Amino acid sequence: MTAEIRVFPCLSDNFGYLIHDPATKATASIDAPEAGPILAALEREGWTLTDILVTHHHADHVGGIDELKRKYKCRVLAPHDNGTPIPLVDQRVKEGDVVKVGNLSARVLATPGHTLDHISYMFDSEHALFCADTLFSIGCGRVIEGTYPMMWDSLLKLRALPNETRVYCGHEYTAANVKFALTIEPDNPALKKRADEVTKLRAANKPTIPSLLGEEKEANVFLRADVPSVATAVGLAGKPAAAVFGEIRERKNKS
Ligand code: ZN
Ligand code: FE
């Protein structure tokens, strides 16, 4: 039996995610932006929360842990870097670890850059990647604690995953990301296709997530810093991809 995944809004623009194993009834929340919508989703489905898989220490990803843990006594898994203030952690995980949610399993990928502790969870048999604030649809997270080369390496690690991977990211930023990406690649057909799709989804008040990694590889300018035409578009022809990536990220910060 394959996993069931639910997507719902939390806070102003975060995504809440539940992944449920029908065989064992185990259910994990990916991060816990706020308890209310997560509790409501669990009740709607009749599911019991067994695990919280934390990606990084920011408040908009851990704010609901306390209340959820009190109600469900669930296990809290968090990044290995324990210098960061994540409440009520039961188990620390790092690159190469395999996390079980019932019979489902996820590989832990270190994806630092946005924060130093940031990890992503890849459920290989479900083709589902939970990458929070590392990779967004048509965007990527702000590089707050790490460096541009570090973040670029993290994006390359995610880009190496199979095309059929569904990308479940931390925020609904896709429309703004598309608008920015078009300033660098106005003629990219994959980006124009995604732009149309996103306009329709947002008009219907639907989430733009999950997206397909294969499509992100073609349309997401932040995954394309090593494409010569992108380097040329930002005036850095022939420069290292990490530098091109840094320039794109800085332009986005100012946009
Ligand atoms: Zn964050
Ligand atoms: Fe966030």
Side-chain angles (χ1 to χ4, degrees):
M1 260 193 287
T2 51
E4 292 187 45
I5 296 174
R6 297 291 177 269
V7 180
F8 47 93
C10 285
L11 300 173
S12 56
D13 51 34
N14 281 74
F15 283 115
Y17 295 119
L18 294 176
I19 181 164
H20 175 76
D21 174 25
T24 62
K25 314 268 185 244
T27 305
S29 176
I30 312 300
D31 286 329
E34 60 172 337
I38 299 171
L39 291 168
L42 288 162
E43 274 158 33
R44 218 162 35 233
E45 302 295 341
W47 294 346
T48 298
L49 191 67
T50 52
D51 304 278
I52 301 174
L53 311 184
V54 178
T55 60
H56 67 297
H57 68 87
H58 282 161
D60 63 314
H61 297 259
V62 304
I65 292 176
D66 210 85
E67 195 176 335
L68 292 169
K69 175 116 178 147
R70 239 179 299 132
K71 167 145 190 191
Y72 289 104
K73 316 270 179 274
C74 50
R75 182 178 63 146
V76 178
L77 299 159
H80 190 64
D81 175 359
N82 56 15
T84 54
I86 299 171
L88 305 173
V89 177
D90 296 297
Q91 197 182 324
R92 299 279 175 178
V93 293
K94 59 181 190 309
E95 170 85 21
D97 287 348
V98 173
V99 166
K100 299 288 273 184
V101 177
N103 290 340
L104 307 172
S105 47
R107 273 188 301 134
V108 176
L109 305 173
T111 50
H114 174 69
T115 61
L116 293 177
D117 69 344
H118 199 298
I119 56 176
S120 300
Y121 296 90
M122 178 66 193
F123 289 80
D124 289 291
S125 58
E126 312 301 320
H127 305 296
L129 170 69
F130 295 91
C131 51
D133 295 358
T134 298
L135 174 65
F136 295 131
S137 180
I138 319 297
C140 75
R142 251 177 214 269
V143 180
I144 299 171
E145 295 179 4
T147 63
Y148 291 132
M150 181 191 283
M151 184 69 157
W152 173 243
D153 280 347
S154 293
L155 292 174
L156 285 179
K157 188 186 282 185
L158 299 183
R159 193 179 74 176
L161 296 169
N163 285 348
E164 64 267 31
T165 304
R166 285 168 295 154
V167 178
Y168 295 89
C169 62
H171 291 266
E172 180 58 270
Y173 289 158
T174 316
N177 289 340
V178 163
K179 192 171 165 218
F180 169 75
L182 283 168
T183 67
I184 297 177
E185 291 197 284
D187 300 320
N188 177 337
L191 176 57
K192 289 199 273 189
K193 177 172 166 268
R194 182 67 173 145
D196 287 342
E197 205 173 79
V198 167
T199 305
K200 284 187 193 120
L201 286 168
R202 297 311 291 150
N205 210 18
K206 289 188 180 143
T208 61
I209 298 308
S211 65
L212 265 185
L213 187 60
E215 294 178 9
E216 292 293 332
K217 291 176 193 179
E218 299 300 317
N220 186 337
V221 70
F222 292 94
L223 293 179
R224 294 168 51 77
D226 54 356
V227 173
S229 63
V230 171
T232 302
V234 296
L236 293 176
K239 292 288 187 283
V244 174
F245 166 74
E247 171 64 20
I248 300 170
R249 188 56 253 183
E250 277 182 25
R251 288 187 186 199
K252 177 69 171 70
N253 292 349
K254 291 182 209 127
S255 74

